[in-house]
Amino acid sequence: MTASSRGTNPGPEEDTPNPPEASGPEASGPEPAAPAGEAAPAGETVDRPKRSAVAEALAAAVRAVESGERSAASFFTEPARPAPRPAPSRPAGPPPVAVPDAGPALPEAVLAAGLPGVRQVLAAGGAPEQLAEQALTLLGEQAAEVLREDPWQLLAVPGVRPEQADGFARELLGGQCGPGDERRVRALTGWLLEKAATAGHTVLESARLHEELARRAVPDPDQALHQVIAEGGVLVFQHTEDAGEAADEEAPVTVLLGLDRYAMAEESLADGLLRLLNTLEPQETSDWEEQAAAAPSPSAAELVRAVAANGLVAHSGGESARAEPAAVVAAARALGLRACAAAHTEDGRRRLAELGEENAVTLAGLLAGQEGPGRDAEGALRLDVLAVLDAPQLDVETAAALLESLADGTRLVLSGDPAVLGPAGPGRVFADLLASRACPVVVSRTPDPGPVGELVSGIGIGELNQVEAPGKEVVITPVRDAGEAVHRTVQLVADSVPRAIGVPADRTQVITPGHGGAVGTRALNAALKQRLNPGPGRFGGFDPGDRIAYVPAPGRMVPGTVVSADAEGLRLDCSGTPVLVPPAQVAARVRHGWAVTAHQAAGTRWPAVVVVLPGDAAQALTRSWVYTAFSRGERHLSVVQGVGQALPQAVAQVPERDRTTRLRSLLQAQSRPAG
């Protein structure tokens, strides 16, 4: 649930799905629009004793659409789906491509011409002129005119908060604006939904948006929402509790509101998943059966058989289970099919290569055309079988782009560990697919070995057990305060782990819950740099030899090392790949990387890991956070423990904070047999 303001290039510190003002010990200001876990998940109905007039009207409109009394186009963007639709064909032409390192949307000449006007408007409204380039990039060539006419459009710039936009508007408009100004309501609604997206939600309940608008002094939130909906600023959807074919027509209706961007991604994704299920041509499976018989494990054999008979298969398991989708790819190649395995990170690709899958790729590289088989004349990937590992890290937009890239009849395996943290972007694709039961699910029976594997397996079911660790595979180090936590962490990385375990400091990763505070990544990185690679930071705070966390795109963290710097930028070595970061992008995309968060670490493993749990981290802990952090160590796990009983309580009682999405209900509606 890495935080990323979609459509921008957030820095590597935006890792959590909470908006910036509620992301850790350094948080200040109002609460986020929709903290994960506060809005009802899409698979549940909220039974509220009293609804507003607008909510009642929306619910009535839902029933009118379903009964045929009213056209869906007159109010709702989503028609009722009483029966499955025919499987659509893959869209013609090349699909959207994930670009790992996108630059400014506007040419340099346009930026140079437009910046003076934007700076002038910002200065007139009392806003920092440093926002000019971002505002121009996001709002386009007419950004100066847009801001003069609608100052609240400043909220499109990452980091700008409503109270700041209000002050900017007052300076420009004077008495012509107020808290109920339609422009303010429209911008606030979009801002709230975008902040909800950084928390992982693709939609929010209308009641939740009503509450948030009221908190921000909108005089009549009901009427304000009605106006925004009428103008098409947000889309309206409905959800009822899934009660099967005998669903009660009077069942409570949850009205959901969302932005077109994420709504269309979920619609496209649902269509694509069902398309693969419905377009696989019946084939003779005897050759597949021979491959299943030769599979390296019973779970691998079960997965091979499932893939032989289905166009879409979900597969769940831990680290050892990665060998099973790799076996599917090997089996497909043995049958003469074009097959490939894709991982979320370069380290995930490396681990596949160690399993014998030397042609494995990263998903970002595959979609960008930089890795893998490339595309055919129609824009489809030249593949018959694709296994995507680390599937819990898929957000709806990446997943939609992936499905649009696959030709009819392609077999797709989505594989991953459902206990880890979810994606950085909006949605919970893998969890929704598992919950929908829209496709076969193969659950691996291959356990992760050793004391770390045993410990993590228990955490996955809510139990924090003591494990035997004769080789010091798991070590718990209690600490009393923040100062001791930092001291012990540095000692472990620099001295204890290299001496006792044999893992050098540059192969030991520190993981902590947040970036700020006395034991956040900033403080730990400063202490670790001072001990392991002291220097003046002459290249924008970095020196050759510094470990770094590089974020080439939202939701992707690549570990690396600083090599050098010159007029062209900061030169990095990221897992053997040279990377040049231009000077203007260094501050946004590079941070020291001896210590990262669990959200950043998802998809990557190290020989040794030191997990730091300071006393102020108790509220941030969830079972999925602990599971993800503890499972990053291949040979050794040290836990600097300062939260006391909050750790076992989080493991037992606090699963990952849920997200409000529509994918599960879309899949269930489309795959349900006609009554």
Side-chain angles (χ1 to χ4, degrees):
M1 308 189 302
T2 309
S4 58
S5 180
R6 311 300 293 175
T8 65
N9 290 319
E13 294 192 357
E14 295 186 48
D15 67 290
T16 70
N18 293 317
E21 64 265 32
S23 59
E26 72 275 32
S28 62
E31 294 182 359
E38 289 193 14
E44 300 177 7
T45 297
V46 176
D47 187 11
R48 298 183 181 277
K50 183 178 180 180
R51 289 194 273 192
S52 69
V54 169
E56 292 291 353
L58 295 180
V62 169
R63 290 190 286 271
V65 170
E66 291 179 333
S67 67
E69 296 176 5
R70 185 174 176 183
S71 165
S74 67
F75 201 87
F76 291 98
T77 59
E78 175 192 335
R81 293 189 172 100
R85 301 181 295 184
S89 298
R90 191 186 61 80
V97 172
V99 181
D101 195 3
L106 295 176
E108 290 294 333
V110 175
L111 285 170
L115 281 174
V118 177
R119 289 194 181 106
Q120 184 179 21
V121 175
L122 292 174
E129 294 185 18
Q130 292 89 331
L131 301 178
E133 184 169 336
Q134 284 183 296
L136 186 60
T137 300
L138 293 167
L139 301 178
E141 296 180 51
Q142 305 302 316
E145 290 76 8
V146 169
L147 289 172
R148 284 194 189 95
E149 295 177 5
D150 185 354
W152 287 282
Q153 289 296 312
L154 192 65
L155 279 174
V157 177
V160 175
R161 296 171 61 182
E163 57 268 29
Q164 296 166 330
D166 286 340
F168 180 65
R170 282 193 298 270
E171 289 294 325
L172 289 181
L173 302 178
Q176 299 179 30
C177 66
D181 191 297
E182 292 180 3
R183 295 167 293 183
R184 179 177 187 263
V185 172
R186 188 165 51 244
L188 269 178
T189 302
W191 182 83
L192 289 167
L193 288 171
E194 283 289 358
K195 288 303 177 186
T198 68
H201 308 289
T202 59
V203 286
L204 283 183
E205 287 185 59
S206 60
R208 177 63 172 163
L209 269 178
H210 174 283
E211 294 167 4
E212 291 296 331
L213 290 173
R215 285 184 61 230
R216 289 168 174 82
V218 173
D220 189 346
D222 282 343
Q223 182 58 37
L225 266 182
H226 193 280
Q227 181 64 30
V228 173
I229 292 167
E231 293 175 354
V234 298
L235 304 183
V236 184
F237 307 96
Q238 55 84 21
H239 174 74
T240 56
E241 185 175 1
D242 184 16
E245 296 180 6
D248 184 356
E249 292 183 0
E250 298 301 318
V253 175
T254 303
V255 178
L256 304 173
L257 303 179
L259 296 173
D260 177 271
R261 174 179 181 176
Y262 308 118
M264 294 302 101
E266 275 189 310
E267 292 274 359
S268 173
L269 175 56
D271 286 345
L273 292 169
L274 271 298
R275 173 172 59 84
L276 293 189
L277 273 175
N278 294 330
T279 58
L280 183 68
E281 295 291 336
Q283 296 175 339
E284 176 59 48
T285 60
S286 58
D287 291 340
W288 282 96
E289 182 57 38
E290 291 180 10
Q291 295 297 320
S297 69
S299 291
E302 182 183 359
L303 184 58
V304 170
R305 294 187 179 98
V307 172
N310 299 276
L312 175 66
V313 176
H315 169 259
S316 67
E319 180 65 20
S320 295
R322 295 171 75 88
E324 294 156 22
V328 168
V329 172
R333 287 210 186 101
L335 296 175
L337 299 175
R338 301 170 299 178
C340 181
H344 179 62
T345 63
E346 176 61 30
D347 180 71
R349 189 208 62 75
R350 173 191 63 79
R351 284 178 279 139
L352 278 170
E354 291 176 352
L355 294 171
E357 186 49 45
E358 296 180 356
N359 296 318
V361 299
T362 63
L363 184 58
L366 178 68
L367 292 177
Q370 299 170 342
E371 304 172 36
R375 298 176 184 267
D376 61 23
E378 295 184 352
L381 292 169
R382 294 188 178 94
L383 288 172
D384 300 306
V385 178
L386 174 62
V388 176
L389 285 79
D390 310 309
Q393 302 307 308
L394 279 173
D395 63 84
V396 292
E397 291 186 304
T398 303
L402 171 65
L403 268 294
E404 290 171 2
S405 300
L406 299 179
D408 294 354
T410 304
R411 290 176 167 89
L412 174 64
V413 181
L414 293 179
S415 173
D417 190 337
V420 301
L421 290 165
R428 29 170 276 161
V429 173
F430 191 60
D432 281 343
L433 179 62
L434 295 178
S436 73
R437 301 179 183 273
C439 70
V441 177
V442 176
V443 179
S444 175
R445 299 185 298 277
T446 306
D448 287 340
V452 176
E454 181 184 350
L455 175 65
V456 170
S457 295
I459 293 171
I461 59 173
E463 299 175 357
L464 186 65
N465 302 316
Q466 289 187 344
V467 296
E468 295 293 330
K472 297 184 178 179
E473 295 88 349
V474 179
V475 174
I476 310 298
T477 303
V479 293
R480 293 164 294 185
D481 54 39
E484 186 180 5
V486 173
H487 172 75
R488 294 291 288 166
T489 300
V490 173
Q491 185 181 55
L492 284 165
V493 174
D495 297 324
S496 302
V497 172
R499 183 179 64 253
I501 311 300
V503 177
D506 63 356
R507 300 296 294 144
T508 300
Q509 184 63 53
V510 176
I511 300 176
T512 192
H515 292 294
V519 198
T521 61
R522 299 187 192 104
L524 287 169
N525 276 317
L528 287 161
K529 175 175 172 55
Q530 181 63 31
R531 176 65 184 274
L532 299 172
N533 195 46
R538 61 184 182 276
F539 302 136
F542 299 97
D543 294 296
D546 279 357
R547 282 180 65 178
I548 53 88
Y550 169 56
V551 176
R556 290 182 57 219
M557 188 280 286
V558 182
T561 306
V562 174
V563 176
S564 63
D566 52 39
E568 293 185 291
L570 194 65
R571 298 186 182 276
L572 312 175
D573 178 354
C574 295
S575 302
T577 300
V579 174
L580 173 64
V581 184
Q585 297 181 12
V586 170
R589 300 199 173 190
V590 186
R591 289 289 185 275
H592 287 107
W594 287 281
V596 299
T597 66
H599 298 86
Q600 291 178 316
T604 304
R605 282 163 61 90
W606 292 266
V609 161
V610 177
V611 177
V612 187
L613 302 175
D616 61 359
Q619 296 301 314
L621 296 183
T622 64
R623 182 187 307 162
S624 55
W625 192 98
V626 176
Y627 184 98
T628 303
F630 283 22
S631 62
R632 298 307 90 196
E634 295 174 335
R635 293 169 48 193
H636 174 77
L637 167 68
S638 280
V639 182
V640 178
Q641 223 288 42
V643 293
Q645 289 303 305
L647 177 58
Q649 289 171 3
V651 169
Q653 301 171 10
V654 190
E656 183 178 9
R657 297 180 177 95
D658 219 337
R659 304 177 179 208
T660 310
T661 64
R662 297 171 52 239
L663 181 60
R664 175 183 175 181
S665 58
L666 285 171
L667 290 172
Q668 289 173 331
Q670 293 186 37
S671 60
R672 185 180 298 138

